[in-house]
Amino acid sequence: MFTRSSAHLKLSALPKPFLIARSLVASQFRPIATSISASTQNFSPDGAHSILVAQRKQRPISPHLGIYQPQLTWCGSAANRITGSILSVGAYGFFAAYAVAPVFGWPFDSVTIAAAFSGLPAATKFGIKFAVTLPFSYHSWNGIRHLLWDTGKALDIKDVYRTGYVVLGLTVVSAICLAMV
Amino acid sequence: MASLFRPSLRTSAATAVMLRLGRPVTTTSSATTAAGVRCTAMKNLEILRQAGMAKKGFHASASRKILPAGPQVIQGTVNEAVEVPDPNAAHGSYHWSFERLISVALIPLTVAPFAAGSINPVTDAILGATIVIHSHIGFESMIVDYIPHRRYPALRKGAMWALKGATMLVLVGLYEFETNDVGITEAVKRVWKA
Ligand code: HEM
């Protein structure tokens, strides 16, 4: 009954609703007799596991950051991490170098560093200072913004933008002022 | 820009695939078996795969190679749910509160030297220690984010231990600097005025 040929024979004699039912039936059931033999493979649990692992590697990966429109929200968040790591790498580098300096006989102390710094041209001095005060200012102001969020305040999108612009403004002003001192 | 090209691209690709998808319908009406239908369905998937549609359909821009998918580690059988760690306040809310406490402490410690012009050695040492702890926690969260334990258990462990080692060395350096040199705020001041 479910083979296509038998359904075909009386096709014209059947009422319309039955025709629809016929096509549903035909598409949902395997024929009892068929000349085509589907080949199957047996898999052990280990085999199934390795197929799953292989399939996972084919999954789409998160899109590259470049496809996202730059927005104050996520760019500001990334900047917090980037500026924080610049400051921390600097601090770790400085103190680690100070710890091992005697071992290698490096002249690494505040007097030597200040003396070396004083010999630089004014523009270079400003550049180096600004390279420190910019991440320091941004991260500090934005850190305060983070702590404000942690109290549950200023979390709607309007406030997120408002505080974001405040942080940017304060950062530029304080970074330049601190570098000029 | 990509959106300008995309509709036409998608339409032509979809049309090409649909034309080929269309074929089985005609074959179906001419006495093929249901098993035959299933076979063509598989073949259609193959066509989709070859056309790159199976995956590309979700992407609006050209795919870029970023990082290869890391090793896929599946614990237990294929149907097992992810293991939920035991709730532990020391790893959760206390840890979070401690992080905030350290961050909040940084505010007066940072403002003090600017306001007072200089700070005493003890406050300076506290500022230094707070910066180191705050940085240690910051590095830790980056390791947790970028080196998932599930995929790179050894690398994760190694990075955490490397961080612990670095922090110890840095604390030694901080101690030496606070005891043998002029302290952080005074040193910054001298370099700034140099
Ligand atoms: C007033 C001063 C500061 C405040 C209020 C502050 C606040 C914060 C806060 C709240 C976070 C957590 C952000 C989050 O929840 O994702 C954070 C992260 C961090 N901070 Fe600070 N911070 C300050 C100064 C510093 C300094 C001086 C350094 C380095 C020497 C530093 C290094 C870091 C690092 C590396 C992170 C981790 C970044 C991340 O996970 O994305 N911070 N800071």
Side-chain angles (χ1 to χ4, degrees):
Chain A
M1 149 155 203
F2 295 130
T3 54
R4 310 238 354 143
S5 45
S6 67
H8 248 276
L9 284 175
K10 299 179 191 93
L11 208 65
S12 50
L14 292 170
K16 229 180 182 173
F18 193 80
L19 273 178
I20 296 166
R22 177 204 65 88
S23 60
L24 281 176
V25 162
S27 62
Q28 282 173 27
F29 291 88
R30 272 172 159 282
I32 293 162
T34 169
S35 56
I36 299 167
S37 60
S39 68
T40 57
Q41 269 175 285
N42 286 324
F43 276 106
S44 62
D46 279 352
H49 186 273
S50 61
I51 288 179
L52 179 64
V53 167
Q55 280 177 343
R56 281 187 165 193
K57 290 194 171 172
Q58 296 299 315
R59 285 180 185 174
I61 300 176
S62 298
H64 191 277
L65 271 184
I67 79 152
Y68 295 106
Q69 179 193 16
Q71 286 170 313
L72 186 57
T73 45
W74 70 265
C75 289
S77 172
N80 195 61
R81 173 156 283 190
I82 292 165
T83 53
S85 34
I86 289 171
L87 295 170
S88 292
V89 168
Y92 267 47
F94 180 84
F95 290 121
Y98 194 83
V100 300
V103 180
F104 297 102
W106 298 336
F108 196 75
D109 56 81
S110 63
V111 175
T112 317
I113 295 166
F117 194 78
S118 72
L120 297 171
T124 314
K125 277 187 191 169
F126 178 82
I128 292 173
K129 285 178 181 176
F130 191 67
V132 175
T133 59
L134 187 67
F136 173 76
S137 297
Y138 180 83
H139 184 87
S140 299
W141 294 124
N142 203 59
I144 294 170
R145 184 169 168 238
H146 255 287
L147 294 171
L148 176 68
W149 285 334
D150 291 341
T151 66
K153 294 197 183 75
L155 280 169
D156 59 65
I157 199 71
K158 220 172 167 180
D159 283 336
V160 166
Y161 271 92
R162 198 178 294 148
T163 54
Y165 285 120
V166 169
V167 162
L168 286 184
L170 288 172
T171 298
V172 172
V173 173
S174 62
I176 293 173
C177 288
L178 289 176
M180 287 204 306
V181 179
Chain B
M1 273 301 271
S3 59
L4 282 178
F5 296 111
R6 198 180 158 227
S8 59
L9 267 180
R10 194 176 49 182
T11 318
S12 59
T15 316
V17 170
M18 244 128 82
L19 280 174
R20 306 187 71 170
L21 283 176
R23 251 185 24 211
V25 181
T26 40
T27 21
T28 316
S29 48
S30 68
T32 342
T33 61
V37 175
R38 287 163 61 97
C39 275
T40 30
M42 301 271 276
K43 229 157 73 191
N44 288 334
L45 270 182
E46 181 59 21
I47 293 165
L48 281 173
R49 204 187 57 74
Q50 281 170 4
M53 286 285 289
K55 219 153 99 179
K56 279 231 178 73
F58 296 106
H59 293 275
S61 58
S63 76
R64 299 185 211 184
K65 277 266 168 275
I66 321 166
L67 289 170
Q72 301 292 316
V73 183
I74 298 147
Q75 248 126 37
T77 69
V78 292
N79 288 322
E80 223 145 296
V82 169
E83 196 186 317
V84 179
D86 288 334
N88 184 338
H91 295 164
S93 63
Y94 292 170
H95 184 257
W96 189 87
S97 303
F98 179 68
E99 283 176 352
R100 308 307 119 170
L101 191 74
I102 291 290
S103 299
V104 171
L106 270 175
I107 302 174
L109 286 168
T110 309
V111 173
F114 290 115
S118 85
I119 52 175
N120 72 54
V122 175
T123 318
D124 195 274
I126 293 172
L127 169 65
T130 312
I131 288 176
V132 173
I133 297 167
H134 182 77
S135 299
H136 180 89
I137 295 170
F139 285 138
E140 225 171 30
S141 35
M142 288 184 232
I143 293 173
V144 168
D145 285 354
Y146 303 134
I147 313 177
H149 184 266
R150 193 181 64 251
R151 291 213 179 144
Y152 307 102
L155 187 60
R156 167 70 163 271
K157 223 176 189 173
M160 281 299 200
W161 279 108
L163 175 62
K164 285 186 176 87
T167 301
M168 292 310 287
L169 180 68
V170 164
L171 285 173
V172 170
L174 175 67
Y175 175 81
E176 293 290 327
F177 192 75
E178 293 291 336
T179 49
N180 302 329
D181 213 305
V182 293
I184 299 165
T185 43
E186 189 57 31
V188 171
K189 207 161 136 190
R190 288 188 187 180
V191 171
W192 235 249
K193 299 249 184 292

